[in-house]
């Protein structure tokens, strides 16, 4: 049986990867086998967040060219969880391989991975021309769209509105608000967007420091991170429980 596919999406600096890594960690605590695919085809963000390297014989470019059905072997196992595997660019590679990635190859990859994992998560990109992100949005059962309140976030959402209509993904989105640390009034942003925000994540001052140390926020122990983790667990619980997210 194929997995449920979820994509985490949003504009630049919206906290997508921070959230997607924490969500994957929360989901991996269950008995579900979780696969996480990065849409970043030039830099291995997930490697930094997990504090691990990806060897050349693994990674997304090898997975895209994989002809056998054993696509799971191209994923790297997260050492802190036997249920969590991630697919990223290798730590070092030569050539601009990202320019050769096609939509057809990406669709085949995601469909093949969905047969391996119980839950498949795509770390989406702000750019609408990213093939991994675009196919992930199209194939997803639900999309978690992150908003860090700002004029730039509002402009991004308006700019991708035509893309959302063409891909018929507007109804699949669950909007998540990130606390802006006083940089922008949350209520003003909500009034501007006129969107439902069923979830709100707290601002984490130490996020960059923790991520550079290879520690997902979900495993950090300070109070703000525990609050962040509780929201993440709430979403993970609804995903695993099959209820409405």
């Amino acid at each position: 049986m194929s997995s449920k596919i979820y994509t985490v999406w949003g504009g630049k600096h919206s906290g997508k990867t921070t959230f997607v890594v924490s969500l994957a960690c929360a989901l991996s605590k269950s008995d579900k086998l979780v696969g996480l695919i990065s849409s970043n085809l030039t830099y291995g963000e997930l490697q930094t967040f997990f504090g691990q390297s990806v060897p050349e014989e693994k990674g997304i470019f090898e997975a895209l060219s994989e002809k056998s059905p054993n696509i799971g072997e191209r994923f790297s196992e997260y050492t802190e969880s036997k249920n969590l595997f991630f697919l990223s660019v290798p730590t070092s590679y030569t050539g601009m391989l990202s320019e050769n990635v096609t939509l057809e190859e990406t669709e085949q990859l995601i469909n093949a991975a969905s047969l391996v994992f119980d839950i498949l998560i795509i770390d989406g990109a702000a750019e609408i021309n990213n093939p991994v992100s675009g196919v992930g949005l199209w194939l997803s059962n639900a999309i978690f769209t992150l908003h860090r309140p700002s004029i730039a976030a509002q402009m991004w959402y308006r700019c991708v509105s035509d893309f959302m209509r063409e891909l018929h993904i507007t109804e699949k989105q669950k909007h998540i608000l990130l606390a802006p640390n006083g940089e922008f009034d949350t209520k003003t942003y909500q009034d501007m967007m006129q969107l439902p925000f069923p979830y709100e994540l707290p601002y984490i001052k130490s996020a960059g420091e923790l991520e550079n140390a290879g520690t997902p926020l979900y495993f950090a122990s300070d109070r703000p991170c525990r609050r962040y983790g509780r929201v993440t667990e709430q979403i993970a619980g609804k995903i695993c429980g099959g209820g409405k997210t």
Side-chain angles (χ1 to χ4, degrees):
M1 182 175 66
S2 63
S3 71
K4 290 184 177 179
I5 302 173
Y6 298 88
T7 295
V8 175
W9 199 36
K12 290 184 177 180
H13 311 301
S14 61
K16 295 184 299 296
T17 305
T18 299
F19 173 72
V20 82
V21 167
S22 292
L23 179 62
C25 290
L27 288 165
S28 71
K29 290 179 63 179
S30 68
D31 292 331
K32 306 291 186 182
L33 197 62
V34 180
L36 173 56
I37 300 177
S38 173
S39 64
N40 192 328
L41 299 176
T42 57
Y43 171 69
E45 286 179 305
L46 294 184
Q47 300 172 43
T48 302
F49 280 67
F50 288 125
Q52 295 179 213
S53 296
V54 174
E56 290 187 16
E57 65 272 16
K58 287 182 176 281
I60 194 164
F61 298 118
E62 286 295 322
L64 285 163
S65 62
E66 186 66 65
K67 300 303 180 185
S68 75
N70 232 355
I71 198 72
E73 293 183 354
R74 299 307 178 192
F75 282 70
S76 297
E77 182 179 3
Y78 178 40
T79 56
E80 300 299 321
S81 173
K82 63 181 178 64
N83 292 329
L84 176 54
F85 297 80
F86 67 96
L87 185 64
S88 173
V89 297
T91 300
S92 60
Y93 69 94
T94 58
M96 297 303 291
L97 300 177
S98 60
E99 295 181 355
N100 300 320
V101 176
T102 67
L103 293 174
E104 182 180 5
E105 289 173 335
T106 304
E107 184 179 356
Q108 291 173 352
L109 164 63
I110 293 176
N111 281 328
S114 74
L115 299 174
V116 175
F117 298 100
D118 298 311
I119 298 172
L120 187 65
I121 310 174
I122 315 297
D123 183 13
E127 299 80 12
I128 61 175
N129 61 345
N130 181 290
V132 178
S133 181
V135 174
L137 290 167
W138 178 48
L139 294 178
S140 287
N141 297 93
I143 299 163
F144 297 104
T145 304
L146 272 67
H147 299 253
R148 188 181 299 278
S150 66
I151 297 299
Q154 181 200 30
M155 291 178 64
W156 172 83
Y157 193 79
R158 286 183 175 177
C159 286
V160 299
S161 59
D162 288 341
F163 171 77
M164 291 189 295
R165 283 192 292 270
E166 290 174 5
L167 228 59
H168 305 289
I169 62 174
T170 303
E171 298 302 318
K172 294 196 292 184
Q173 294 184 68
K174 311 296 180 183
H175 299 281
I176 300 176
L177 193 67
L178 279 78
N181 191 33
E183 297 171 358
F184 197 95
D185 181 67
T186 302
K187 181 63 166 58
T188 299
Y189 185 78
Q190 291 175 305
D191 290 341
M192 288 164 49
M193 300 300 291
Q194 292 295 300
L195 293 170
F197 290 97
Y199 305 104
E200 182 171 346
L201 293 166
Y203 171 76
I204 307 295
K205 185 177 181 180
S206 60
E209 180 181 345
L210 289 167
E211 289 156 4
N212 286 330
T215 303
L217 293 192
Y218 183 74
F219 294 126
S221 58
D222 60 55
R223 183 176 297 178
C225 288
R226 291 200 303 270
R227 287 177 53 212
Y228 192 104
R230 284 195 294 271
V231 178
T232 307
E233 286 182 338
Q234 181 184 2
I235 297 170
K238 291 189 176 181
I239 290 174
C240 292
K244 291 184 177 181
T245 52

